[in-house]
Amino acid sequence: MSSPSVARRQLSAQMRAKRIATGKTIEQVAEDLEWSSTKVSNIETGRSKKPAVTDVRVLLDLYKVRDSAEREAILTLVR
């Protein structure tokens, strides 16, 4: 098992990559979810040390990540 800081960096990188793959900006994601752009940015930069599993699930839904193994791997990083 990796350290919490390594897992946080991995999560941040994956969430940023998923957003970029959808062609959305942080501001667009925030608007779609009625969140602040700071909240989205904090998840992507790792400033949010422990993002909620439910928040990451919502982002994965928005980014259309359907593969259950991929979703579980990302959610494991959150946990």
Side-chain angles (χ1 to χ4, degrees):
M1 186 56 115
S2 60
S3 74
S5 60
V6 171
R8 189 169 55 248
R9 283 193 300 271
Q10 290 174 338
L11 174 66
S12 297
Q14 288 192 33
M15 296 311 293
R16 185 172 32 262
K18 298 295 179 200
R19 177 183 53 77
I20 290 169
T22 67
K24 291 184 178 276
T25 65
I26 287 174
E27 291 76 17
Q28 289 169 324
V29 170
E31 186 176 319
D32 289 348
L33 298 176
E34 297 181 356
W35 291 357
S36 70
S37 56
T38 302
K39 180 175 181 172
V40 178
S41 176
N42 285 347
I43 292 171
E44 288 191 10
T45 61
R47 278 186 239 129
S48 178
K49 293 193 187 262
K50 184 108 167 90
V53 172
T54 54
D55 288 346
V56 173
R57 246 190 223 120
V58 168
L59 286 168
L60 293 174
D61 290 344
L62 181 68
Y63 301 156
K64 298 184 182 352
V65 177
R66 304 284 186 240
D67 182 83
S68 60
E70 182 179 15
R71 286 177 70 92
E72 192 54 38
I74 291 170
L75 292 172
T76 296
L77 292 172
V78 179
R79 293 183 188 112

